[in-house]
Amino acid sequence: MLSILREKLHDNRFLRLIENLLKAGYLERWTYHTTLSGCPQGSVVSPVLSNIYLDRLDRYVEQMLIPAYTRGTQRRRNNVYNALRTRAQYYRKRGERNMAAQLDKQRRHMPERDPTDPEYRRLRYIRYADDFCLGLAGPKQDAEAIKQDLKQFLRDSLKLELSEEKTLITHATTEPARFLGYEIIVQHQDTKHDHHGRRSVNGAVALRVPTSVIQEKCRRYQSREKPRRRAELLLESDYSIISRYQAEYRGFVQYYQLAQNVSWLWKVHRAMRLSLLKTLAGKHHSSVGKMIRRYHTTITLPEGTYVCLQVQIERKGKQPLIARFGGISLRRQTQAVLIDSSASITRRPERNELLKRLLADTCELCQATEHIEVHHIRKLADLKQGGWNGKPLWAKVMAARRRKTLVVCRTCHDAIHAGKPAKPRPGVRSLES
């Protein structure tokens, strides 16, 4: 790694910093472990260093493997297919349409081009972090040769070992390949035709949501294969509970929008909806039916009409706060941009104190009730800089509450960012002294 960095970087202080980072070790269950090789997983610079290190692999594939396994402009025609088409035309001219139809039916079950053409090869390559996928239009012998070439290059040039368990050769027509949570398949369906009567999907690459992923995501909201309530959310407000479920569901759907079977996520929607209703029912000591009648609503969006669960909190002089579960289209989006992050359901939920403070519409420094805003800081450790006597009033209030947010009016908010003392509220003068 350091030798690769030295090819382009000549700042020895920066290189020593990277070297010390690689040798710093890591903590696991509060036990220190030394770093024997590689970069500790989870480090903030791990993705960048991984891309820098594997850039040589990218260049090797692009400059050596792809040119070696790319030739020909198109596959040659299938002689058997052409013979059947010519014979069908002959019977059609003679008026024997039944015989011609039988030959056409037989012809539609074989490829128009020769899939075993030795003069045609294609190789495609994609990599994300340390996961890569190669697509080859060619025989299995070529795929095994490519695997051996990659194995040798990684061992000799990058000092890496190719995992035999994870590096698989898959025939994508009969068995899907897994990459970044998707299934990659090559479609084959002789009965799927376009408006010209031609087979339209054969040989096309498609992405799918794995069935195992759908089942695993449903199990997160189930107990003994039935939807369960989430006890860790019972102390939250209805607004916070519905918002959290919607954030988790939106993350699932948005990541798999490229999949052809994204509509299968209705199973996840059903499991999450019932879990949400049971959670709300447990919070209010009520029933699922009563929760449906309370929060059921119908919304109309450009994609269509949806049945959702919605809670609306009115605010005087402001737009209401709305939390909604549902209302997300399950149609495939071919131009979707994947967001590689999703809401975690194992993380402890945030407290609903901020919601209550916002609804109070009162500045926590001067008690003003107009133009209420929220001041944020990056981390609580920033409040520890300097002594207590030198801190402004707003910093003392946030430090005492151990909160990274402070509800203030616009005047106090401008004073905070300008470094001026905010107007104190009654009864807190002693904090300044």
Side-chain angles (χ1 to χ4, degrees):
M1 169 60 73
L2 293 176
S3 61
I4 294 176
L5 292 175
R6 289 191 181 98
E7 293 178 359
K8 297 294 181 67
L9 301 177
H10 306 287
D11 187 342
N12 289 328
R13 292 180 301 174
F14 179 76
L15 293 175
R16 284 197 300 270
L17 179 63
I18 297 296
E19 182 179 6
N20 292 333
L21 173 68
L22 296 176
K23 297 179 180 179
Y26 62 96
L27 286 176
E28 183 177 359
R29 296 182 179 180
W30 299 104
T31 302
Y32 174 78
H33 300 272
T34 58
T35 302
L36 301 179
S37 63
C39 181
Q41 190 172 2
S43 171
V44 293
V45 296
S46 178
V48 176
L49 295 179
S50 174
N51 282 328
I52 294 175
Y53 197 68
L54 294 178
D55 177 67
R56 289 192 173 185
L57 173 63
D58 299 340
R59 286 185 289 173
Y60 172 74
V61 174
E62 293 173 356
Q63 298 173 7
M64 302 296 295
L65 294 182
I66 291 181
Y69 291 92
T70 300
R71 58 179 180 267
T73 56
Q74 62 179 0
R75 289 187 175 96
R76 66 188 179 189
R77 292 187 176 275
N78 189 345
N79 294 331
V80 179
Y81 181 93
N82 290 336
L84 290 175
R85 180 170 57 182
T86 302
R87 193 167 182 83
Q89 292 175 351
Y90 169 76
Y91 282 114
R92 195 171 289 109
K93 289 180 180 179
R94 292 184 57 179
E96 300 181 19
R97 297 186 176 276
N98 292 335
M99 191 64 180
Q102 293 179 6
L103 293 175
D104 287 338
K105 184 177 180 180
Q106 182 181 354
R107 177 169 55 89
R108 289 195 181 99
H109 289 281
M110 60 179 58
E112 181 181 4
R113 301 280 177 175
D114 184 5
T116 62
D117 184 5
E119 300 301 324
Y120 180 86
R121 293 289 183 272
R122 286 293 184 274
L123 180 63
R124 297 291 183 263
Y125 168 75
I126 184 173
R127 181 180 64 82
Y128 181 85
D130 58 347
D131 294 328
F132 63 89
C133 179
L134 291 107
L136 173 68
K140 185 177 180 180
Q141 292 79 0
D142 288 354
E144 292 175 347
I146 292 173
K147 181 179 178 179
Q148 293 301 321
D149 292 342
L150 284 174
K151 184 177 181 180
Q152 182 176 357
F153 174 80
L154 291 174
R155 183 179 61 250
D156 298 343
S157 300
L158 299 180
K159 311 302 180 184
L160 297 175
E161 291 295 331
L162 192 65
S163 175
E164 294 292 341
E165 296 180 357
K166 297 181 179 180
T167 309
L168 306 176
I169 298 177
T170 305
H171 192 272
T173 304
T174 58
E175 182 182 358
R178 295 290 292 269
F179 183 64
L180 299 182
Y182 275 86
E183 282 185 351
I184 303 177
I185 63 171
V186 175
Q187 301 178 91
H188 185 86
Q189 184 56 262
D190 292 328
T191 60
K192 185 72 173 180
H193 301 137
D194 58 14
H195 61 281
H196 295 296
R198 300 174 179 173
R199 291 170 290 180
S200 57
V201 301
N202 285 1
V205 178
L207 300 176
R208 299 181 60 186
V209 184
T211 305
S212 59
V213 170
I214 297 177
Q215 294 173 348
E216 190 272 334
K217 293 188 183 300
C218 288
R219 281 196 294 268
R220 296 184 182 183
Y221 304 92
Q222 294 176 338
S223 176
R224 298 180 181 179
E225 299 184 355
K226 291 184 179 181
R228 64 173 178 88
R229 71 177 186 179
R230 295 168 63 182
E232 71 273 13
L233 299 179
L234 294 180
L235 298 180
E236 298 295 311
S237 66
D238 295 355
Y239 178 89
S240 300
I241 294 174
I242 295 179
S243 297
R244 184 168 180 81
Y245 271 85
Q246 179 73 345
E248 295 168 3
Y249 178 62
R250 185 190 301 114
F252 295 155
V253 175
Q254 287 183 345
Y255 187 78
Y256 287 106
Q257 280 184 327
L258 294 172
Q260 286 193 339
N261 62 337
V262 65
S263 60
W264 289 10
L265 291 182
W266 69 266
K267 298 180 181 179
V268 179
H269 178 273
R270 181 177 180 274
M272 293 185 66
R273 184 174 184 269
L274 291 175
S275 174
L276 170 59
L277 290 170
K278 287 190 174 184
T279 302
L280 293 172
K283 172 182 172 59
H284 295 285
H285 304 285
S286 183
S287 64
V288 170
K290 291 181 179 180
M291 294 298 100
I292 293 177
R293 289 190 290 272
R294 177 185 295 187
Y295 297 111
H296 177 274
T297 187
T298 302
I299 63 171
T300 301
L301 300 176
E303 298 85 6
T305 302
Y306 299 91
V307 176
C308 307
L309 299 175
Q310 177 176 297
V311 60
Q312 181 170 318
I313 302 176
E314 300 294 338
R315 298 190 296 175
K316 185 178 180 180
K318 295 184 178 181
Q319 293 292 331
L321 294 175
I322 298 177
R324 179 186 301 131
F325 178 76
I328 301 177
S329 175
L330 292 182
R331 297 179 181 177
R332 183 165 68 106
Q333 305 291 333
T334 57
Q335 303 298 324
V337 177
L338 299 185
I339 302 175
D340 189 21
S341 63
S342 60
S344 172
I345 71 170
T346 58
R347 179 174 54 88
R348 184 177 180 180
E350 297 178 357
R351 298 187 179 182
N352 57 8
E353 179 189 0
L354 178 59
L355 176 62
K356 297 177 181 178
R357 289 156 58 197
L358 278 174
L359 293 177
D361 276 342
T362 302
C363 176
E364 296 176 341
L365 292 179
C366 68
Q367 301 297 311
T369 58
E370 297 180 353
H371 308 295
I372 300 301
E373 301 173 351
V374 180
H375 176 65
H376 300 263
I377 61 173
R378 291 181 59 247
K379 52 186 179 179
L380 289 174
D382 295 340
L383 300 175
K384 297 180 180 179
Q385 298 178 0
W388 177 262
N389 294 331
K391 284 187 174 65
L393 173 64
W394 63 269
K396 293 179 180 180
V397 173
M398 297 181 74
R401 293 182 173 181
R402 295 191 59 81
R403 293 290 179 268
K404 294 189 292 185
T405 57
L406 186 67
V407 178
V408 292
C409 63
R410 185 174 300 171
T411 302
C412 292
H413 203 183
D414 292 341
I416 291 174
H417 285 283
K420 300 178 180 179
K423 182 171 65 175
R425 64 186 177 185
V428 297
R429 181 174 300 177
S430 58
L431 290 176
E432 297 282 10
S433 59

